[in-house]
Amino acid sequence: MTVDRLPPVAPEVTATLVEDLSPRLRKRLDAAVTKLGARPTHRDGDTVTIAVDDETELRLHAPGGVVATVDAITCGCLLAPACVHRAAAACAAPTADPAPEPADRPSRAAPEPASATDPAPGSASSPEVASPAQRAAADALWSAGAAVLEAGVDGAGAVTQSTLLRAAHTARLRHLPRAAGAALSVVTLLRAARAGDPSYRTADLVTALAELLGTAHRVGTASGAELAAVRGAARRPYSPDGSLRLYGLFTEPVVTDSGHGGVRTWVAGSDGRLCTVGDVAPGGVGRALGVADRAVRLGDSALTHRELGRAGLAVSGATVSPDGRLGAGKGVKAVTARGAAWTEPPLAALWETPPAEQAARALRSASRYADPDGGGSDLLFLDVELLGAVRESGGTCLLARCEGGMCVRLTVADDDPALAHRDNLTLLAAAPGARLRIIGRLVPALHPRLTLLACSHPTGEGTIDLGLDRLRRADLPDPAAPVHLAPLQPEGSGAHSPLYLLERRVEQTVPAGRAALGMLGDVTAETRRMRRAGLPTAAGLLTALCTSAAQRDRDLFGRLLPADTDGFATYWLAAARYTADVAESLCAAAWEPTQAR
């Protein structure tokens, strides 16, 4: 049985069912989840039935698609409702997204009784700080995240996950949706890791854990505007933007690991601001290919997404979210208008910004720990000359030369054979010397790197959506003289940085927990190498992290005392955030003109 055959379960339902188990049944919960996952299921309307055995059935009732109450999970065994089966079913099912708050509810905690330590309301000299209830919720999230680091993926079973779910639910009630969302992401990734999901990456769990711990920590220290960013927003706020004249750029397919599929069409305003119109829902790659030729859900326009990528729109009553998504409310009116070529204003201006400035802007948007709704885009607009295909450790990429002679590696956005990305990149690699205008998404790396999304047609007529349109060999110009490429070496000032020595220790903590890191032994050679490379802070963090991991004090009778999970989590968070910040700085430096080869 796979989790997509079970309806999503609200976080508080799973947490309650696990908390109600006796200590003896909690020890059996992980085994019960595994066993239940092998049992057949049957769906009848809003109800999913699991055959626990030949005589016992377990039912999950999900009106509206979500199991929202504890009573909605019932079991026919003799021990019900105090059996382990109900909790196991909730733990085996995907976690439901929190219900959105009413639009008129402010995204902050309700006022609480003032105390002598609280700032006076409206005081200009005392910016707003988190309420005591919010700080308590953040402390619970911190403790739950630290427990995951202590146990590692191998030890973070259903009980540890339920603690995170309870903390996430409490944080949402205290109007801390950003931290709550981070906790739910950690639970989802833990389940993927423990289930052997091929799409799982340890780096993703590192990022989610660091976001959870970092956000929980900042709740207690932030104030004013910073606190608002740390709290986050439960609903994506769309603000009125009047009348807009939009020009289509390209359309990209969107396929997620969760089985969703669709497209996102990028448009630019008269001032060069980028916006998107999307249509993504459950359905995978098949839906992505089909939706591309469906009408855009915006006003009265009859344009399909493919057509909008090359045409224009005149929009009145527009609403736009901070990340550039165009709203499709009832008050939005849109009619088809003339588009613009990439070489015509206002689109041509997108290619006039120097690559280094574009990369710095994109990096701010793509930062792993950027505050949500910060705006901006991770797209780059470059004029390039194709050089040919080169092999890397992870496969083949297309090498291109852009302004100032800088070499950029271009890779596919998605390797799914149903999409056109890989075939198009292979054809373009067979046309060295071709000059193209391209749009790509920044890949943070120690050298200039993009995923290739769209390009001007090699013949000079029109544009190509590289995930949807398929080039033919006849579309390519006559091949120029072959370009002889030397073995590709990493580029950029940080290409040989020993930063990875700290990064790998941060990652090693996640699968097996603190104790495994504490057994890795002496790291003097690694810290010496980092100091020689000008990274004394990295060396100090590695020493502190490994020392904290190995430290276990004893009481007067020689018995081991509980480990300092908070102290270790603090060092781990500092190391995770530091490596991310340095890596992003090295990426930005790689795009500077002085780094060109």
Side-chain angles (χ1 to χ4, degrees):
M1 179 181 67
T2 55
V3 296
D4 59 353
R5 294 167 62 182
L6 296 179
V9 178
E12 62 273 22
V13 171
T14 303
T16 299
L17 287 171
V18 174
E19 290 164 358
D20 288 345
L21 292 177
S22 67
R24 180 179 63 85
L25 290 181
R26 288 191 187 187
K27 293 179 181 179
R28 297 171 49 190
L29 182 55
D30 287 329
V33 172
T34 302
K35 183 178 179 180
L36 205 64
R39 301 300 300 169
T41 64
H42 172 72
R43 181 182 294 272
D44 182 10
D46 292 333
T47 301
V48 173
T49 302
I50 306 173
V52 176
D53 54 39
D54 293 340
E55 299 179 353
T56 306
E57 289 185 339
L58 179 73
R59 290 186 174 85
L60 292 85
H61 185 52
V66 174
V67 178
T69 65
V70 171
D71 294 339
I73 302 180
T74 59
C75 183
C77 76
L78 295 176
L79 295 178
C83 62
V84 74
H85 303 129
R86 298 169 68 222
C91 293
T95 301
D97 292 329
E101 295 181 0
D104 59 349
R105 179 181 295 178
S107 59
R108 52 168 294 177
E112 299 192 11
S115 69
T117 58
D118 288 335
S123 171
S125 61
S126 300
E128 183 185 13
V129 297
S131 69
Q134 288 179 323
R135 291 195 293 272
D139 288 344
L141 284 170
W142 171 275
S143 296
V148 172
L149 278 180
E150 176 70 18
V153 169
D154 294 340
V159 174
T160 300
Q161 294 167 26
S162 74
T163 302
L164 267 172
L165 293 175
R166 172 60 68 195
H169 177 61
T170 302
R172 184 174 70 86
L173 295 180
R174 298 291 179 261
H175 307 283
L176 298 173
R178 178 177 177 181
L184 296 182
S185 296
V186 170
V187 171
T188 299
L189 289 166
L190 282 173
R191 290 178 176 178
R194 292 173 62 86
D197 189 330
S199 66
Y200 166 77
R201 295 172 59 250
T202 299
D204 293 337
L205 184 50
V206 169
T207 299
L209 268 172
E211 168 70 7
L212 169 61
L213 292 170
T215 304
H217 172 73
R218 289 173 64 194
V219 168
T221 61
S223 61
E226 182 187 359
L227 177 60
V230 172
R231 284 173 174 159
R235 304 170 73 249
R236 180 178 295 110
Y238 284 85
S239 57
D241 211 338
S243 298
L244 298 176
R245 180 65 168 89
L246 303 173
Y247 300 85
L249 279 165
F250 72 100
T251 299
E252 63 172 321
V254 178
V255 181
T256 70
D257 293 335
S258 61
H260 288 65
V263 294
R264 179 188 301 119
T265 299
W266 290 82
V267 296
S270 301
D271 57 357
R273 181 175 50 148
L274 299 181
C275 298
T276 59
V277 183
D279 186 346
V280 180
V285 68
R287 186 178 190 278
L289 294 172
V291 167
D293 293 312
R294 294 183 189 174
V296 173
R297 297 174 181 174
L298 194 67
D300 301 321
S301 172
L303 291 173
T304 67
H305 279 273
R306 283 181 192 261
E307 293 169 342
L308 175 58
R310 297 171 175 84
L313 281 178
V315 184
S316 61
T319 59
V320 185
S321 71
D323 60 357
R325 303 190 191 198
L326 290 167
K330 295 181 179 179
V332 178
K333 307 296 181 184
V335 296
T336 304
R338 178 185 175 277
W342 287 2
T343 54
E344 299 174 350
L347 300 185
L350 297 171
W351 279 264
E352 295 173 0
T353 303
E357 292 184 25
Q358 293 192 52
R361 178 208 65 219
L363 195 57
R364 289 192 296 270
S365 174
S367 174
R368 278 178 274 180
Y369 305 113
D371 286 336
D373 298 332
S377 160
D378 56 359
L379 300 184
L380 270 71
F381 303 82
L382 303 176
D383 289 306
V384 301
E385 176 187 2
L386 302 184
L387 300 179
V390 291
R391 290 193 175 276
E392 300 181 306
S393 58
T396 301
C397 70
L398 173 59
L399 198 64
R401 182 184 293 115
C402 66
E403 179 182 314
M406 179 187 299
C407 288
V408 180
R409 306 184 204 194
L410 306 175
T411 63
V412 297
D414 194 311
D415 248 328
D416 193 307
L419 301 175
H421 291 293
R422 175 59 66 184
D423 291 342
N424 284 335
L425 189 112
T426 300
L427 278 176
L428 291 174
R435 295 180 179 273
L436 299 175
R437 181 157 276 195
I438 67 169
I439 302 175
R441 176 167 288 115
L442 177 74
V443 177
L446 301 182
H447 50 264
R449 189 180 192 89
L450 303 175
T451 54
L452 191 56
L453 300 174
C455 69
S456 57
H457 197 285
T459 63
E461 297 293 330
T463 61
I464 299 292
D465 296 336
L466 289 167
L468 299 170
D469 304 326
R470 291 190 178 272
L471 286 166
R472 298 172 299 175
R473 191 165 296 277
D475 294 325
L476 303 178
D478 294 333
V483 177
H484 298 288
L485 298 173
L488 188 61
Q489 299 295 325
E491 301 183 22
S493 62
H496 304 289
S497 169
L499 182 67
Y500 76 92
L501 296 172
L502 179 58
E503 288 177 322
R504 72 178 181 181
R505 299 305 188 194
V506 169
E507 286 203 4
Q508 284 172 342
T509 306
V510 172
R514 176 197 56 78
L517 186 64
M519 294 187 293
L520 292 177
D522 183 49
V523 293
T524 302
E526 297 177 12
T527 57
R528 185 182 301 117
R529 183 176 172 188
M530 286 189 283
R531 292 184 190 279
R532 285 201 302 264
L535 295 171
T537 302
L541 284 170
L542 179 59
T543 300
L545 181 65
C546 292
T547 300
S548 178
Q551 184 175 1
R552 288 296 301 273
D553 294 330
R554 295 179 181 271
D555 63 16
L556 294 175
F557 299 98
R559 295 171 300 193
L560 281 174
L561 294 172
D564 181 10
T565 56
D566 285 345
F568 177 72
T570 299
Y571 286 123
W572 183 90
L573 174 61
R577 294 299 298 264
Y578 172 84
T579 55
D581 288 345
V582 173
E584 290 168 6
S585 296
L586 293 174
C587 175
W591 284 89
E592 292 293 335
T594 56
Q595 303 301 323
R597 295 291 185 264

